[in-house]
């Protein structure tokens, strides 16, 4: 009898296990900080939030921090969520793996203190890493890290445009090279703190600009606005900005990095929908990545030393995303067509 049981056990262990379904696979735990607002600025964050919601079945959205508190950031986030609720209800998205709107509403921080506590609480959770997608200034992240530096080992930070501003010259200050990007507040405090040298950080300084340029983004806007309440909102947020009548979503590349089905998120140095990135400081900052320079001479430690190559560097960075943009467009349209078509 014992011999028979052993044979049965060995047989079961050798059986091929069924493949996990998409629903069974662990989705990337994702928290965003955004300067979305209702009082001004460009529409990138508003478009990017809608894009995030369109992919809410492929991400585990654990936090949304609308940290432009003085410009009605929370209200802007709630406005986007209301459009999501309308489409969710009309299309019965619950059966398609999308989170119910009420749960997403609970994930929206409504104050700076709540934002800090949210980052710390999610950062302390063991298991899968927490992807923090920074779509604006980095103050909320800085305050969380400085209060609980131990969470750094569990975070994967993806930031947009928080290094040096593309030049070659700042028209106001008249300075070359050393002008920090518009959303760099808090960035240097984290970057220069040795406690966070080991933290996983992908900084898309200029690469994200590959989202823009040419006629295709304008064509995409025409197509995307046809998809439900969210598509209409996608267009509406550009109405006051004549220069922005196209698919901008400048913060979306941080999301695209997680969504590309043919990309290993553990390796930013390979091409993805988000572009391609370099690993400039393997010893001092072993988990830090930023814009890929190809064969262009570029001093990552002090870019001012090679600033004469800034235009070539900027163009090359953008192109690494632009080369993959059409793949991303096709995947998005295919997803929306299926999502909004009644079966």
């Amino acid at each position: 009898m014992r011999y028979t049981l052993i044979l049965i056990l060995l047989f079961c262990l050798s059986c091929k296990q069924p493949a996990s379904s998409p629903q069974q696979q662990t989705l990337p735990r994702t928290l965003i900080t955004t300067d979305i607002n209702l009082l001004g600025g460009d529409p990138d964050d508003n478009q990017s939030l809608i894009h995030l919601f369109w992919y809410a079945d492929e991400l585990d959205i654990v936090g949304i921090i609308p940290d432009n508190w003085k410009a009605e950031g929370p209200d802007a986030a709630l406005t986007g969520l209301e459009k999501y609720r309308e489409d969710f209800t009309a299309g019965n998205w619950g059966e398609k793996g999308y989170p119910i709107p009420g749960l997403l509403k609970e994930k929206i921080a409504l104050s700076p203190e709540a934002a800090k506590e949210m980052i710390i609480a999610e950062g302390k959770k063991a298991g899968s890493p927490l992807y923090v997608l920074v779509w604006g200034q980095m103050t909320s992240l800085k305050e969380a890290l400085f209060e609980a530096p131990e969470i750094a080992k569990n975070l994967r930070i993806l930031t947009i445009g928080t290094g040096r501003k593309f030049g070659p010259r700042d028209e106001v200050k008249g300075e070359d090279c050393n002008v920090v990007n518009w959303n760099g507040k808090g960035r240097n405090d984290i970057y220069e703190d040795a406690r966070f040298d080991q933290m996983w950080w992908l900084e898309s300084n200029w690469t994200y600009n590959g989202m823009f340029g040419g006629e295709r983004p304008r064509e995409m806007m025409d197509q995307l606005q046809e998809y439900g309440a969210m598509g209409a909102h996608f267009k509406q947020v550009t109405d006051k900005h004549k220069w922005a009548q196209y698919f901008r979503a400048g913060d979306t590349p941080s999301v695209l990095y997680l969504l590309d089905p043919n990309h290993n998120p553990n390796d930013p140095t390979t091409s993805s929908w988000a572009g391609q990135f370099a690993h400039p400081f393997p010893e001092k900052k072993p988990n830090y990545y930023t814009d890929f320079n190809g064969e262009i001479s570029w001093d990552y430690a002090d870019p001012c030393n090679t600033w004469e190559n800034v235009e070539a560097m900027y163009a090359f960075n953008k192109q690494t995303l632009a080369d993959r943009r059409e793949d991303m467009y096709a995947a998005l349209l295919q997803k929306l067509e299926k999502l909004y078509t009644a079966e």
Side-chain angles (χ1 to χ4, degrees):
M1 179 68 176
R2 181 181 297 174
Y3 179 73
T4 302
L5 290 174
I6 292 174
L7 288 176
I8 293 173
L9 178 60
L10 290 173
F11 174 78
C12 291
L13 289 174
S14 66
C15 291
K16 183 179 180 181
Q17 297 298 314
S20 298
S21 67
Q23 289 76 17
Q24 292 173 320
Q25 294 174 355
T26 301
L27 301 179
R29 289 200 306 131
T30 307
L31 181 149
I32 71 165
T33 72
T34 168
D35 52 12
I36 190 172
N37 67 90
L38 295 177
L39 300 186
D42 62 53
D44 286 41
D45 291 76
N46 285 280
Q47 285 194 0
S48 294
L49 185 65
I50 293 299
H51 179 268
L52 179 79
F53 288 154
W54 270 331
Y55 278 98
D57 62 327
E58 298 184 36
L59 303 167
D60 178 14
I61 301 173
V62 300
I64 298 173
I65 296 175
D67 53 15
N68 200 339
W69 311 108
K70 295 181 180 181
E72 302 180 18
D75 288 341
L78 290 169
T79 298
L81 180 61
E82 172 58 22
K83 305 304 177 182
Y84 173 83
R85 186 198 64 76
E86 292 179 30
D87 287 355
F88 179 95
T89 303
N92 200 18
W93 287 6
E95 294 184 358
K96 300 177 181 179
Y98 280 77
I100 64 174
L103 289 179
L104 285 178
K105 186 175 182 179
E106 294 176 0
K107 306 297 184 182
I108 299 177
L110 300 179
S111 71
E113 187 64 25
K116 181 180 67 175
E117 292 176 357
M118 179 181 289
I119 295 173
I120 293 174
E122 291 297 332
K124 286 184 175 180
K125 292 181 180 179
S128 59
L130 174 65
Y131 287 93
V132 180
L133 316 185
V134 181
W135 296 356
Q137 49 86 7
M138 299 180 70
T139 302
S140 294
L141 178 60
K142 171 196 167 182
E143 292 182 355
L145 281 169
F146 276 46
E147 181 168 319
E150 69 274 13
I151 69 175
K153 64 181 182 298
N154 297 327
L155 304 185
R156 290 194 173 189
I157 311 299
L158 292 93
T159 55
I160 297 292
T162 49
R164 289 173 172 82
K165 185 180 290 186
F166 172 69
R169 179 169 294 279
D170 180 80
E171 295 179 357
V172 177
K173 297 182 179 180
E175 298 177 4
D176 283 334
C177 180
N178 285 319
V179 180
V180 176
N181 259 319
W182 54 88
N183 50 0
K185 189 176 181 180
R187 182 265 183 192
N188 287 349
D189 295 320
I190 299 172
Y191 185 85
E192 296 169 2
D193 194 314
R195 292 177 297 174
F196 310 120
D197 280 349
Q198 303 294 311
M199 186 172 67
W200 197 101
W201 185 350
L202 192 162
E203 183 172 59
S204 178
N205 190 27
W206 298 327
T207 296
Y208 76 97
N209 287 283
M211 289 290 294
F212 316 134
E215 287 302 312
R216 284 294 288 125
R218 299 182 186 280
E219 295 169 1
M220 276 293 286
M221 170 69 88
D222 292 339
Q223 293 175 277
L224 293 173
Q225 66 177 307
E226 300 299 323
Y227 291 100
M230 290 204 291
H233 186 65
F234 201 90
K235 173 64 172 63
Q236 288 167 0
V237 298
T238 71
D239 284 347
K240 296 181 181 180
H241 310 282
K242 293 182 179 180
W243 50 268
Q245 302 302 305
Y246 60 98
F247 179 23
R248 284 189 58 86
D251 302 288
T252 281
S254 62
V255 183
L256 299 177
Y257 182 84
L258 301 177
L259 296 177
D260 186 342
N262 299 311
H263 174 60
N264 179 358
N266 296 320
D267 187 4
T269 64
T270 59
S271 176
S272 76
W273 288 349
Q276 188 171 357
F277 302 91
H279 188 213
F281 312 119
E283 295 181 1
K284 179 175 173 55
K285 292 180 177 291
N287 300 307
Y288 174 80
Y289 305 88
T290 191
D291 299 358
F292 182 48
N293 64 315
E295 297 183 358
I296 298 170
S297 177
W298 194 253
D299 185 343
Y300 283 101
D302 188 358
C304 298
N305 289 334
T306 50
W307 204 248
E308 68 274 9
N309 296 327
V310 65
E311 293 187 8
M313 182 67 169
Y314 181 78
F316 186 88
N317 299 158
K318 292 195 303 179
Q319 197 60 42
T320 67
L321 187 153
D323 286 344
R324 298 295 308 279
R325 195 172 67 181
E326 200 60 40
D327 295 339
M328 177 269 288
Y329 281 0
L332 175 57
L333 291 172
Q334 183 179 31
K335 183 180 184 70
L336 295 183
E337 191 63 27
K338 183 177 180 181
L339 186 60
Y340 285 91
T341 300
E343 297 180 355

